[in-house]
Amino acid sequence: MSKKINLTGVTAISLLIAQPALALTQPSHTHGAEQPQLPRLSQGARSLINLGDAGLLHPFFSNEKFGQAQSRMGAARFAYGAKDGNPTLDDFREDHDVLITPLNVMIELPASSGASFLRINGEYTYGSSEPHALDLEDELYHGTIEFLHLPNENIMWGVGLITNNFESEDQLSGTKVIRDSRGLRLDYLQKFNDHWGIATRGLYLWGETENRVYDVPTPYGAANLRQKQDDDRYYLQADLVGSWLGDETSWLPDGTLAHPRFGVLYHHSDLGRTTPRLGDIDLPEVTGVNGANEDFGLAWAHFTLQRAPRQTFGLQWLPSATIGIEQEYANTLNELNDESTYAVIGAGLTASMYGQGVFFDYKRYQGVDSDKIDDVFVTGVTLSF
């Protein structure tokens, strides 16, 4: 159920000013008054600010869409399990509240050409749902370490390792899901011109998912049901992002920055065969709740308007607002919830100063038939070293 902050361009700027990348200019004097020292940015910092202003670091830093796919498929698996215990169940409603607390750090590394960075990310996510057919509570611990290289100011590629520890429990049935996974992440970003660029990523995660149901009634008394199986996942995402300044266009208010965003994702799971165990009894071999393969696809169009950042390292307050529409084009686990179209509305606020930042973000995902509702709150800190 992991979703992550929608980083604005200026949040990226606050993230990217690592102290090793800065050198201070000599102070100047105007009319006898000493002016504050101004930092001179390295090539790496300039390159990342360029990609951030283009809106490309938003989809790069955010795991929002990846988490959305995991959440959608995970809740559907729980629903199929709930139907096994309640054959009359023919649909369920997703109604989630999610709190996310990410921490991001970027450290510039020596490079013979271009610029290189080490990215370190840690995130804790807590989610709960309103009790309908399901009453889920879950926790996710996520970490990423990634090497990034920027051959010029318009291109960045990266390769990294990720780790996840996830636990979720249905308070109604007592069913618990535990998943430990490791993975590989690849990124490619390119700014095409002053107004358009693309951000892409690919992930492969390998690990095991364990399902536990406690105190299952049997003719010989209550017993625990356990099932552990291989669960490998493949994920692709691409975002085409635009960037327009209000001071340079007639259709936007002065002092604003607009980012239209058009994206698509595809998620695939391969589930291994396993033998569930009820107490001391081996049950028939199974795979997934609806077969050994699961597929999910989503396309979206978002529009974000924010206050344009100033060229200063002093304190800045930058509010933003987002609207959008999303459409599922594939979902092999939609038998009990076929809500495939949903609207998005959100608001955020970033405070940044001298390379450090604090941000707050809220988004609501509202299904057109009200069978899917997600309220996502994000608050976090960016640090530079």
Side-chain angles (χ1 to χ4, degrees):
M1 196 177 293
S2 166
K3 300 183 179 67
K4 217 168 184 183
I5 184 73
N6 175 2
L7 290 176
T8 63
V10 71
T11 305
I13 291 174
S14 71
L15 186 70
L16 304 173
I17 305 168
Q19 290 177 4
L22 297 182
L24 296 180
T25 61
Q26 296 299 317
S28 61
H29 299 267
T30 302
H31 301 299
E34 183 175 325
Q35 300 299 309
Q37 292 180 320
L38 300 176
R40 183 171 65 249
L41 299 181
S42 70
Q43 178 182 344
R46 292 195 308 270
S47 300
L48 286 171
I49 290 173
N50 182 52
L51 295 175
D53 286 344
L56 299 179
L57 293 182
H58 166 188
F60 168 74
F61 280 113
S62 173
N63 285 326
E64 170 192 356
K65 290 303 171 190
F66 175 71
Q68 188 174 344
Q70 307 301 300
S71 173
R72 182 72 162 138
M73 302 303 280
R77 288 185 186 182
F78 265 110
Y80 275 73
K83 184 175 177 62
D84 290 340
N86 180 12
T88 62
L89 177 66
D90 58 4
D91 64 1
F92 80 100
R93 180 186 180 193
E94 290 187 46
D95 193 344
H96 299 151
D97 295 323
V98 183
L99 173 65
I100 306 162
T101 56
L103 172 65
N104 284 287
V105 176
M106 295 281 281
I107 303 172
E108 187 162 6
L109 304 174
S112 58
S113 63
S116 297
F117 284 83
L118 180 67
R119 175 193 175 220
I120 301 173
N121 163 256
E123 175 184 319
Y124 170 75
T125 299
Y126 173 79
S128 64
S129 67
E130 295 297 322
H132 299 297
L134 302 172
D135 183 8
L136 301 178
E137 288 191 8
D138 51 46
E139 291 183 302
L140 170 70
Y141 296 89
H142 171 88
T144 302
I145 184 167
E146 186 172 16
F147 172 79
L148 304 171
H149 183 68
L150 297 91
N152 58 55
E153 293 189 358
N154 295 319
I155 293 176
M156 181 175 77
W157 59 263
V159 56
L161 300 174
I162 55 180
T163 179
N164 286 285
N165 178 268
F166 174 77
E167 290 191 15
S168 183
E169 183 173 1
D170 180 11
Q171 305 298 308
L172 299 180
S173 66
T175 301
K176 178 178 286 188
V177 173
I178 302 172
R179 173 175 167 79
D180 286 310
S181 62
R182 306 294 180 267
L184 175 68
R185 171 170 170 165
L186 302 174
D187 289 277
Y188 181 81
L189 287 69
Q190 182 171 355
K191 180 180 177 180
F192 298 132
N193 52 46
D194 289 342
H195 295 298
W196 291 103
I198 193 169
T200 64
R201 78 167 70 175
L203 289 89
Y204 168 57
L205 294 98
W206 59 91
E208 290 184 327
T209 296
E210 180 179 1
N211 298 291
R212 302 176 183 176
V213 183
Y214 299 100
D215 299 326
V216 178
T218 74
Y220 309 100
N224 297 333
L225 174 65
R226 289 197 173 192
Q227 172 184 318
K228 181 181 287 189
Q229 64 188 136
D230 292 336
D231 187 351
D232 294 345
R233 304 182 181 186
Y234 306 83
Y235 180 84
L236 298 172
Q237 178 180 332
D239 287 89
L240 181 67
V241 184
S243 181
W244 274 267
L245 278 170
D247 296 345
E248 300 173 356
T249 62
S250 60
W251 53 278
L252 288 172
D254 290 344
T256 61
L257 175 63
H259 288 306
R261 176 185 175 192
F262 305 94
V264 62
L265 70 80
Y266 172 72
H267 172 274
H268 175 81
S269 295
D270 283 335
L271 301 170
R273 302 192 67 83
T274 186
T275 301
R277 190 171 181 83
L278 179 60
D280 296 327
I281 302 173
D282 289 339
L283 301 180
E285 194 175 65
V286 298
T287 53
V289 295
N290 194 29
N293 300 305
E294 298 172 351
D295 294 290
F296 178 79
L298 181 71
W300 58 88
H302 290 183
F303 181 84
T304 298
L305 186 66
Q306 67 174 77
R307 178 180 292 171
R310 304 187 309 275
Q311 294 184 358
T312 177
F313 295 111
L315 178 62
Q316 295 192 76
W317 296 92
L318 300 158
S320 64
T322 298
I323 59 172
I325 188 75
E326 304 192 348
Q327 176 67 47
E328 295 178 6
Y329 66 86
N331 188 341
T332 56
L333 299 182
N334 66 348
E335 178 183 346
L336 301 178
N337 186 319
D338 59 358
E339 181 76 272
S340 61
T341 305
Y342 26 97
V344 181
I345 186 170
L349 178 65
T350 297
S352 67
M353 185 175 183
Y354 294 109
Q356 317 303 325
V358 179
F359 47 85
F360 308 90
D361 188 75
Y362 166 76
K363 281 191 177 65
R364 182 179 179 89
Y365 298 80
Q366 173 75 49
V368 295
D369 295 325
S370 297
D371 283 336
K372 175 180 171 59
I373 301 173
D374 289 333
D375 290 302
V376 183
F377 302 86
V378 184
T379 178
V381 178
T382 60
L383 299 175
S384 55
F385 298 95

